[in-house]
Amino acid sequence: GYRNRLIRMNLYLALIGLSLGVGTTVAGFFGMNLISGFEDSPTAFNTVILLTSATGASVAGVCASYVSGKTMRHRANERLEEIDTLTGALSDMAALDFTVKAMLEKQTPMSKDDFRMRLKQARATRKVSEKEVDLLFDAMDVQKDGVLFRDDFKSIKIHSNNNSNNNAATTKT
């Protein structure tokens, strides 16, 4: 409790110092008594003060926003939703297997709507979310044409044939 408050207070004081440092840097540049052309301008002082204050406030706002952790919490919540979607999508592999085998047996392309319908039929016990359908369909649509067909599964078929050939060769020896 107390230690965290002390660290947070130290952090906010550092942010205030950083914001004030922007203004003092600009004041230091103008205080060098070098000729810059702004000496005779009637609006230069007010413009420099306004821009310096706005920059300092912006630096403070951006740093305070980062420190508050809203962005990090938002990203963490997005990642948790992604994990829930993956868990749901991969929790019932038998339904996914049934859906893909139905498409391969009929040898007809399967649109995302057909995929959704077949997956819902195969998963009678649990609801299928749109995020799960999108995740699974996009992962399997290798050609990215919006349709699942036999060509999208060539690499899987070749891989499974290689594994069965290796298993057969191992059993023969």
Side-chain angles (χ1 to χ4, degrees):
Y2 175 74
R3 187 173 183 179
N4 287 339
R5 283 192 312 234
L6 187 63
I7 291 171
R8 188 169 293 279
M9 178 59 84
N10 188 15
L11 186 60
Y12 282 124
L13 287 174
L15 292 177
I16 291 169
L18 179 67
S19 300
L20 290 174
V22 170
T24 57
T25 301
V26 172
F29 290 149
F30 280 105
M32 290 182 173
N33 294 328
L34 299 175
I35 298 173
S36 63
F38 292 119
E39 292 85 7
D40 297 326
S41 173
T43 60
F45 180 76
N46 292 334
T47 304
V48 169
I49 293 296
L50 180 67
L51 289 175
T52 303
S53 299
T55 304
S58 297
V59 167
V62 168
C63 291
S65 172
Y66 181 76
V67 168
S68 71
K70 289 180 185 176
T71 305
M72 289 188 291
R73 278 192 296 260
H74 180 70
R75 285 183 187 156
N77 286 336
E78 285 178 349
R79 297 303 173 258
L80 288 174
E81 285 180 20
E82 290 173 1
I83 290 170
D84 287 343
T85 301
L86 278 170
T87 302
L90 300 177
S91 66
D92 191 1
M93 293 302 289
L96 181 61
D97 185 50
F98 172 79
T99 304
V100 172
K101 282 182 179 177
M103 185 267 311
L104 291 173
E105 286 173 4
K106 287 187 176 184
Q107 296 187 4
T108 58
M110 185 182 291
S111 69
K112 189 180 271 191
D113 291 333
D114 295 336
F115 179 77
R116 180 182 302 109
M117 183 187 68
R118 290 199 184 272
L119 193 59
K120 284 181 179 181
Q121 288 173 349
R123 272 197 199 169
T125 58
R126 196 176 66 77
K127 185 180 177 185
V128 179
S129 75
E130 285 302 311
K131 286 184 178 182
E132 291 174 18
V133 171
D134 290 341
L135 175 76
L136 291 170
F137 189 85
D138 292 342
M140 291 188 291
D141 187 13
V142 175
Q143 296 178 3
K144 303 298 180 205
D145 56 0
V147 177
L148 294 179
F149 196 61
R150 202 172 201 88
D151 293 343
D152 289 317
F153 299 97
K154 280 185 178 179
S155 62
I156 296 172
K157 188 175 179 182
I158 291 168
H159 181 68
S160 64
N161 285 345
N162 286 343
N163 283 343
S164 62
N165 290 341
N166 288 343
N167 290 341
T170 308
T171 358
K172 289 179 183 177
T173 50

